[in-house]
Amino acid sequence: MNQARQNILKRLRDGRQQGFAVPTSDFAVVRERNWTAAEKLDLFQQKIESVHGEVHRVAAERWIQELIRLLAEKKLGNLLVSDIKAHGLELREQWHESLPPLLAYDRKIESWKEQLFTQVDAAVTGCRGAIAETGSLILWPDEDEPRLMSLVPPVHFVLLQADQIYSTFIEAMAEQGWATQGMPTNALLISGPSKTADIEQTLAYGVHGPKELVVLVLE
Amino acid sequence: MSAQPIQVREFHPRVQAALNNPQIRSNFRRAMDGLMTKRTAAFAGWDLETLRELGAAVRLRALSRLPELLEQLEANLVQQGVQVHWAETGEQACEIIRDICQARGAKSVIKGKSMVTEEMELNHYLEAAGIEALESDLGEYIVQLAEETPSHIIMPAIHKNTDEISELMHEKTGTRRSHDVDYLTASARQQLREKFMRADVGISGVNFAVAETGTLCLVENEGNGRLTTTAPPCHIAVTGIEKVVEKLEDVTPLLALLTRSATGQHITTYFNMISSPRKAAEKDGPEAVHLVLVDSGRSNIYQDQELLDTLRCIRCGACMNHCPVYTRVGGHAYGTTYPGPIGKILMPHLLGLEDTRDLPSASTLCGACGEVCPVKIPIPKLLQRLRKEAVDGDSLQPSRVAGHGIKRRWLESLVWSGWTRMHASPGLYRFAGRMMGRLRGLMPSKLGAWTRYRSAPKPAAKTLHQLMQERSVKSQAVKQESKG
């Protein structure tokens, strides 16, 4: 199919208009925001709640108790959590037998796909911050918290540090150096639980991904 | 499971049928009214004009460097382990995808929403090759169950109401009849989860392809796009060559414009950015990722300074939602993959004017599409250009539009050349005008389509020239009198 490549590029090069006028791109309209940290947190919460996301603000040292309370309230039977990351280790250390069992994503998906798809009730992951303007969480899944972890279980808990909320997407990608340091296999913005309006524009949640997205904001 | 091939050219009978179908009319009317309101609300507080200007600038900049950016995108993706393929036609793209599937011994494919694969009728092609291709976007799934095609590029099943969908799912999948949308959605989730678990290959579209970092971006709400691109061992992304943007930051205004223009959302649930297949230590994700770059007429459009604006499109569907014609006839009446205003300016290039001759005229030129377009495509101007292309003789040759001149009729051409001559000669003009006035009684009362809904025009007894002349004679007489 190298011929196709050559033909397409040749047609584009040969046919390109001379003096293609390109206006300058002024990004100010998507960049300039002057929100304080408190405003950013409020806006993030308001935006993500408007699309059915759940937000709980907790003191940083109390997140595990809050998570335990939510697991009981939502009657969840088990929880998938990293066994390598700091928050996973902290959780595992404080866990006890009477609580729902903890699962680990400690092998390749091929060896437990069916179990992940049918038997995991909830997962908890960290994130790389959030975006206030759109109420979005930034996730870069990795080997400790793989891609399907935030997608397949019906409930997804996310831990967000309150001081890691950016105003806009463009600010987040610039501050974290996405374009300069190279992109990961998969980067995600997650803004609420999975939803659809494909049946007569009626909103329904959890069509393919999680039915519930619960953010624990650690203050 | 194969949709009936549609005869694109039979446009008018389909329009009549749609106009006489109260179900279609009320389904679309309600949906489009809602979408217009939501879009307006979503842009509240934004300097929308400046944002649209930025969106247009970003797309134009990408188009101005299209061949270089495609090469940069390819180089970055290949370096990151993604295999890149090029297809000049939809058929070539289908072949490439079939070959990838067959080389893997794949029997089942799960699909995320992709209009370009609709355009090349990939599902039929794969089925003919013995590969099951199942749509996983809920709307697309419904449309596939019904053996239909999407009637809207963002909301494929918008032409159906809950009753119809409940009946369809009952008949095809055995769910119980229900108006409970949560139940219907949960049933579809169950049916499709099984398929996601077992699928050999996932096929998705692409919303933006970033050359700078070699990143494929997908915008979606359901999570089926993420599942399609993550759960099967192989992911094939398919995109038109025009979807490339230069820099990573370029996606930010386009994303802000796309979701608000399409459905009035400030963002979709998922913005999924893929840059490589699974790395050695990673525990999930596809081992193989392919990108198929499809031309299919796009490089042809690119060569015309005016028409290339068509390639700015980010497929939000706002032009349809705001189109008085689309709202009344719905997407299927157009008979083309892309309906509505964008379809009217894009499909003539993909199919040729011979089959799409009526599309550029199916517009009131009210201008709503151009006003809401997030990347400022001058759709009305392009519609006029294509109308001209459809009837032009040799004056524009060589034309970039296939089927150029298809609607030209000798009688009509004769009338217009007579019209031109008459307007160039004052004497002839006056003579013709007077004759029209004298012979006005001979004007037929039936003038084809024109008089189906209007009365026939009747020339005035006297021309404007005559009236003005008489008036100036009179007023001079009055002046004379008052002086005297």
Side-chain angles (χ1 to χ4, degrees), chain B residues 17 60 79 97 111-112 121 127 148 154 159 182 191 217 231 401 452 476 479:
Chain B
L60 272 169
Q79 200 238 326
I97 294 166
K111 284 186 67 207
E121 299 186 27
E127 275 159 29
E148 291 175 356
I154 301 289
H159 57 290
D182 283 326
Q191 291 156 14
C217 305
V401 188
R452 207 177 311 148
Q476 258 169 21
K479 270 187 206 161

Side-chain angles (χ1 to χ4, degrees), chain A residues 145-198:
Chain A
E145 289 180 343
R147 295 163 71 172
L148 292 173
M149 195 166 167
S150 59
L151 180 62
V152 173
V155 180
H156 178 204
F157 294 96
V158 187
L159 307 176
L160 168 68
Q161 305 292 336
D163 58 4
Q164 279 193 3
I165 302 178
Y166 302 92
S167 294
T168 59
F169 188 18
I170 199 167
E171 183 197 3
M173 64 169 66
E175 299 258 314
Q176 296 190 355
W178 290 20
T180 45
Q181 73 174 48
M183 293 292 281
T185 304
N186 184 216
L188 294 164
L189 301 186
I190 299 181
S191 314
S194 154
K195 64 175 178 282
T196 185
D198 273 345

Side-chain angles (χ1 to χ4, degrees), chain B residues 237-249:
Chain B
V238 191
T239 184
I241 52 170
E242 82 283 16
K243 290 281 184 80
V244 65
V245 295
E246 184 180 6
K247 293 179 177 301
L248 191 63
E249 67 179 5

Side-chain angles (χ1 to χ4, degrees), chain B residues 206-377:
Chain B
V206 173
N207 289 96
F208 318 114
V210 184
E212 177 182 34
T213 55
T215 301
L216 308 175
C217 305
L218 279 80
V219 177
E220 58 141 349
N221 282 308
E222 295 188 359
N224 69 309
R226 283 182 67 197
L227 279 169
T228 300
T229 56
T230 315
C234 172
H235 167 213
I236 306 173
V238 191
T239 184
I241 52 170
E242 82 283 16
K243 290 281 184 80
V244 65
V245 295
E246 184 180 6
K247 293 179 177 301
L248 191 63
E249 67 179 5
D250 288 342
V251 304
T252 57
L254 296 181
L255 180 64
L257 284 162
L258 174 61
T259 64
R260 289 178 176 87
S261 300
T263 50
Q265 292 177 272
H266 50 263
I267 194 164
T268 49
T269 300
Y270 302 115
F271 186 60
N272 182 7
M273 311 173 83
I274 297 163
S275 302
S276 82
R278 182 197 303 198
K279 295 186 182 108
E282 290 170 350
K283 299 193 182 81
D284 61 17
E287 301 142 3
V289 177
H290 298 262
L291 174 68
V292 183
L293 293 164
V294 187
D295 180 343
S296 193
R298 289 160 173 87
S299 62
N300 199 38
I301 307 177
Y302 186 72
Q303 300 179 47
D304 184 292
Q305 190 147 23
E306 189 174 44
L307 298 173
L308 77 83
D309 283 340
T310 312
L311 299 177
R312 282 190 225 170
C313 179
I314 57 171
R315 305 280 189 268
C316 70
C319 58
M320 310 172 192
N321 304 347
H322 291 73
C323 175
V325 177
Y326 177 89
T327 303
R328 282 161 184 81
V329 302
H332 285 153
Y334 294 82
T336 49
T337 307
Y338 304 94
I342 183 63
K344 286 183 258 192
I345 60 167
L346 182 60
M347 293 314 297
H349 303 293
L350 303 188
L351 300 177
L353 273 170
E354 194 169 344
D355 281 340
T356 58
R357 61 185 81 179
D358 291 326
L359 295 186
S361 323
S363 165
T364 63
L365 295 181
C366 74
C369 49
E371 274 173 38
V372 297
C373 176
V375 288
K376 302 189 83 166
I377 302 173

